[in-house]
Structure formats: C-alpha cells, structure tokens
Amino acid sequence: MVGDFQIRTDLALEARESYGEDDIKIRGVTVEEYEDREREIFTTVVRIETENGAKAMGKPVGTYVTLEAPNMAVPDEGYHREVSEILCHHLREMMGEGEHSVLVVGLGNRDVTPDALGPDVVNNLCISRHMVKEYGRASLKDGTKGIVSAIVPGVMAQTGMETLEIVRGVVRETSPDLVIVVDALAARSTRRLNRTIQITDTGINPGSGVGNHRNGINRQVLGIPVIAVGVPTVVDAATIVNDTMEELVAEMDRSADMQKLGGTLGTLNRAEKHQMIRELISPHLNTMFVTPKDIDETVKYLSYTISEGINSAMAGTEKEDVRCSGE
C-alpha cells in the first residue's frame, strides 16, 4: 500500500501477505502451508478464528484454502485433472459427511469473458435434481453423494435485481442443504491470474474485488452453509503501476548508477519518491482492470477444471473421470 492507495484483492492469502514478513503473527489468524512438489501444486490454508483477526485481515471469520498451480494457465488436461482432484478433496471437507442437496450458483456476466467463469462452470455440471424429482434416487449412479441443481442469476444490469434476491428466492423454493457459489475474482498479483483457486466456507460478496459491492451471499443471510469457489481473472491496473513504481524506488535506493543520473530523480529522498508515486497513480486507474489476452480460452478450460471438481465431489469419486448421465 502506498499512502491511501488501496490494493484490491479477493484472496485471503494476499491479504495476509500485505503484512510483509512471512513470519508475522496476526492474533486470531493461523496459516498452514503444504507443498506437492511432484505435481507443483501449493496449498495455503488461512483460518480466521476471531473477530479481531477478521478486522485485521478485512475478511470474515472462516477457512480460506488457496491452491496455487503455476501450470494451471496452460491447457494441460492431465495437470488440470490433478487440480480437480485436490479441489474435490477440499470441497468434501467443507461439505462434511453424508449426502447433500446442493445448489450451485454461477455468478458473473457470461457476456464479459473475464467474468464468465461462474456461468461456464454451471454449463459443465452434472445436474440431477430434476431426475430425482421425476424418477427418484434410483436414477442416480451408485455412490452418488448428493443432488445437484444450478442457477446463473446474471448481474443487476441484466435483471434489475440483486443477485442475493434471486438466490434467496431459489433457496426458499428448492430447500437445498448447502450452496456452492462460483465466481471470478480480482488478484493483487499478476502471477496469480488464472493460476489460483480459492475455496472458502464464508460465502462471497459479488463484485467486491472490482469495487462493485453487492449484498453478501453467506450463511448469515441464507440460513444454510455457503461455500465459495473462485479464480482470479483480473488485476487492478493501479496495482500494476504501483508495483512498477515501487520497484523503481527500490532500484534507485540501492543502485549507485541510478544515483549518478542526477536531475530531479537523483535528488529525491525516499519520502519524496513515494509522494511521486501517489501523484502518478491516477484516480482514473481505479476503474481499470487488466486481464490476459488469452482469457477466453483460459476461462473455458478453467471452468472444466472447477466443474469436474464439483462433479467428483458430488459423485462420490475423486479419481474417476466423471460423466453425466447420457454423455
């Protein structure tokens, strides 16, 4: 953070990293890290256990699991299947034992590619609620852990309604045991774009990462557990400028060659350099977000990765290739 410049991120891991030193202790917050070197998948579990911890982190009390997979931005089917297996494992842990009736909500605008992750995931799900209502549980495969229904509520500009209003109405009518919300997120770092999955039991505030706050979808308002799954697909443009300028400041401070350049930059002390950053970060950048140029293709295969994880969690298998009835 520079001055009053706020770094926008939906990831609890990045909120934790904003404190600087890796070994810093935040009261009421615990962090566990796991590294799978063979598959190159890194897992961080952030648990916010107290209200003081929630205030410090700027996130609700709950568990935040972050999967970092550097190769997830590459269309490698085998690698994505491994990520799906780990996602399935964490979903099952948050869902708990037993069978569940699950409503999957695909948040976002399918007409805006970086925001189309949720709708695309829903397109790839094995929907089963209508089959059970028509033919009973005998219509499901052996070992199936639950009944799945899904909805893509769109955005307010398309419907004229808050997403929460739509979801709450569907929950009231269909009475699921829990809700899984899938959404595109905003990241603090460009290296996490399309390479990170966050799973949390705290629900979600649609649009919060891009400054477009909507009513939260969580257990408090719906009365049932809400699991949120998201992938960062955009980064704030002002964040990129901020990082670049801070690198410039750091280089100027440690490089004798830079100091020899003289002129205005050479005469500025560190405080003056940071003041220059604040002035260069235009307030207009706060409305601009950046996404990779291949985002259309990336969102397509990321949606398969997440949908396969959800399908596996509901089908009672982690390693078999899950296919819907009739496929």
Side-chain angles (χ1 to χ4, degrees), residues 126-139:
C126 295
I127 305 299
S128 58
R129 182 176 181 271
H130 61 302
M131 299 293 292
V132 173
K133 286 178 66 68
E134 185 71 22
Y135 304 108
R137 293 195 62 87
S139 62

Side-chain angles (χ1 to χ4, degrees), residues 18-75:
S18 67
Y19 283 87
E21 297 85 356
D22 292 336
D23 60 348
I24 190 172
K25 301 297 182 183
I26 304 174
R27 185 173 299 177
V29 178
T30 62
V31 180
E32 300 172 11
E33 297 179 339
Y34 308 93
E35 184 175 358
D36 187 336
R37 290 185 178 274
E38 182 178 349
R39 295 191 283 189
E40 293 186 82
I41 299 174
F42 310 92
T43 304
T44 304
V45 181
V46 177
R47 291 187 175 90
I48 303 177
E49 300 169 341
T50 67
E51 291 300 330
N52 285 336
K55 184 177 181 181
M57 293 282 288
K59 303 287 181 185
V61 172
T63 300
Y64 300 80
V65 178
T66 304
L67 308 180
E68 295 184 85
N71 295 324
M72 198 165 68
V74 178

